[in-house]
Amino acid sequence: MGASDPRRVEFWFDFGSTYSHLAMMRIAPAAAALGVAIDWRPFLLGPVFRALGWDGSPFLAQERKLDYVWRDAAREARKYGVPWRRPTAFPRRAVLPSRVALCGAQAPWVGAFCRRMMLLNFAEDRDIDDETVVLAALAESGVDADAILVQAQGEANKLALRRQTDEAMARGVFGAPTFFARGELFWGNDRLDDALALAAAA
Amino acid sequence: MGASDPRRVEFWFDFGSTYSHLAMMRIAPAAAALGVAIDWRPFLLGPVFRALGWDGSPFLAQERKLDYVWRDAAREARKYGVPWRRPTAFPRRAVLPSRVALCGAQAPWVGAFCRRMMLLNFAEDRDIDDETVVLAALAESGVDADAILVQAQGEANKLALRRQTDEAMARGVFGAPTFFARGELFWGNDRLDDALALAAAA
């Protein structure tokens, strides 16, 4: 897989994002079924929202819309067979898992780690920015958790996550999940299948 | 069909709303295939947005998001086989067709009239608040256009449209299209099939 492979989809996600959770739990088998490779792109929505002039998640700005989002997320999770419990903290801070996922973006364990983090947040209501929680999830993936954590928290990787978020903004991302397929931006879990279909048609 | 018939879906739409157009062009055959009756609910989004503290369409607040919406609408229209051209005026004022649709909400011509109005706005780029345009569309439906226009512009019907919009707000509507099936609110063209499926399962 590489930037030159047309049968790939970029998956931009934030571990605090409700609909990123739904897409995360669906994308791997759906992409595999179509022979499409996934380019894992963790980033931080917070700085993107602030740059767009929103103070935190746009969902929070409107109580009525946020109420709906919780109902919709529960229905969608049921529809897709994705485990779901409304988190008591939203949006949850998730800088550490984002750094770890970025660190491992090319590693074979990245998908399993990201799904575990999403389930911890959106099904088990755990604080996923906690080092102990992240270490345990890495250990479950059978990797050298301590070594990865050191690398994830290194200055180079911290800077890389800031650059990743800058790249999201530069490329027109305004929410998560966002997919790119053949240069086209698709926003939202509802567009996952369209993005994959476009990538598969390459 | 009536409020007591569980196999029905309420379809709340605004003639200026991009995704209401997509839902309008899809709903009749989809509902018929499932044996679900449609309760046509034209309303005005403008007062709803203002009540929620938004100055006009939330799409307009963010240039980046609005750019995306146009690309997404074009792709979605292609996906569903719905005629589409980006209107030169957005959102288009559509008080008169809303009044006419409310007037005819129980009439057999309501679906055809509403689809014609949507196509005029979102495929032919016409001013759908123009009396001549509305009269011509009614005449195409084979009804007494002049008589309906008089009734639509009467004080009772004007008040009825304001009350319809008030009801939308009272019931938690914050955008269009919105569907209600078995008391549950579904927002957006992306949820049309879920709303119909729930109604059909009644």
Side-chain angles (χ1 to χ4, degrees):
Chain A
M1 186 188 80
S4 59
D5 178 358
R7 291 177 70 89
R8 68 193 263 282
V9 69
E10 288 178 38
F11 174 32
W12 292 76
F13 58 92
D14 178 301
F15 285 109
S17 144
T18 310
Y19 294 102
S20 292
H21 166 60
L22 294 175
M24 180 66 76
M25 302 307 288
R26 303 199 304 123
I27 194 170
L34 294 169
V36 170
I38 302 166
D39 188 357
W40 306 85
R41 296 292 199 125
F43 75 112
L44 300 180
L45 264 180
V48 174
F49 286 155
R50 282 192 292 277
L52 293 174
W54 298 323
D55 185 20
S57 167
F59 294 154
L60 296 178
Q62 248 306 320
E63 197 187 345
R64 174 171 288 210
K65 201 159 178 174
L66 182 62
D67 285 348
Y68 173 78
V69 161
W70 294 128
R71 288 206 307 278
D72 184 63
R75 280 193 312 232
E76 289 286 288
R78 202 164 54 235
K79 182 168 88 182
Y80 292 121
V82 168
W84 165 260
R85 192 195 332 171
R86 176 176 165 173
T88 53
F90 178 82
R92 204 156 240 153
R93 189 184 146 91
V95 175
L96 182 58
S98 303
R99 287 178 181 156
V100 169
L102 182 60
C103 229
Q106 311 295 326
W109 51 266
V110 64
F113 171 78
C114 290
R115 285 188 293 275
R116 187 78 194 100
M117 282 295 121
M118 287 297 198
L119 288 172
L120 284 165
N121 187 7
F122 289 104
E124 300 175 27
D125 197 22
R126 300 284 300 278
D127 173 8
I128 56 169
D129 213 35
D130 183 276
E131 198 173 293
T132 316
V133 170
V134 172
L135 276 171
L138 279 170
E140 281 173 40
S141 304
V143 297
D144 185 342
D146 292 311
I148 288 167
L149 205 72
V150 167
Q151 196 191 335
Q153 294 282 52
E155 283 310 313
N157 191 59
K158 286 180 178 176
L159 181 62
L161 183 59
R162 285 196 291 274
R163 288 203 173 131
Q164 178 103 314
T165 299
D166 289 344
E167 184 184 336
M169 280 189 272
R171 291 175 61 193
V173 171
F174 56 86
T178 290
F179 313 97
F180 285 94
R182 300 172 73 183
E184 281 202 56
L185 184 158
F186 293 82
W187 172 53
N189 175 56
D190 291 327
R191 295 290 176 273
L192 169 59
D193 298 310
D194 293 334
L196 290 176
L198 184 64
Chain B
M1 185 186 81
S4 60
D5 178 359
R7 290 176 71 88
R8 68 193 263 280
V9 69
E10 287 179 39
F11 174 32
W12 292 75
F13 58 92
D14 177 301
F15 285 110
S17 145
T18 311
Y19 293 102
S20 292
H21 167 60
L22 294 175
M24 180 66 76
M25 300 309 288
R26 303 201 302 124
I27 193 169
L34 294 168
V36 170
I38 302 166
D39 188 357
W40 305 87
R41 294 291 200 128
F43 75 111
L44 300 180
L45 264 179
V48 174
F49 287 157
R50 282 191 292 277
L52 293 173
W54 299 324
D55 186 18
S57 168
F59 294 154
L60 296 177
Q62 250 304 322
E63 198 186 345
R64 172 171 290 209
K65 201 159 179 175
L66 182 62
D67 284 349
Y68 173 77
V69 162
W70 294 127
R71 289 207 306 279
D72 184 63
R75 280 194 310 235
E76 290 285 288
R78 202 163 54 237
K79 181 168 87 182
Y80 292 120
V82 168
W84 165 260
R85 192 196 331 170
R86 175 176 166 173
T88 52
F90 179 82
R92 204 157 240 154
R93 189 184 145 90
V95 175
L96 181 57
S98 304
R99 287 178 181 156
V100 170
L102 182 61
C103 230
Q106 310 295 328
W109 51 266
V110 63
F113 172 76
C114 290
R115 286 188 292 276
R116 187 76 194 102
M117 282 295 121
M118 288 296 198
L119 288 172
L120 285 165
N121 188 5
F122 289 106
E124 300 176 28
D125 196 23
R126 300 283 300 279
D127 173 7
I128 56 169
D129 212 35
D130 183 277
E131 198 173 293
T132 316
V133 170
V134 171
L135 276 171
L138 278 171
E140 283 174 39
S141 304
V143 297
D144 184 343
D146 292 310
I148 288 167
L149 204 74
V150 168
Q151 195 191 337
Q153 295 282 53
E155 282 311 312
N157 191 59
K158 285 180 179 177
L159 181 63
L161 183 59
R162 285 196 292 274
R163 288 204 173 131
Q164 176 105 312
T165 299
D166 289 344
E167 183 184 336
M169 281 189 271
R171 291 176 61 193
V173 171
F174 56 86
T178 290
F179 313 97
F180 285 93
R182 299 171 74 182
E184 282 203 54
L185 184 158
F186 294 83
W187 172 53
N189 175 56
D190 291 328
R191 295 291 175 274
L192 169 58
D193 298 311
D194 293 333
L196 290 176
L198 184 64

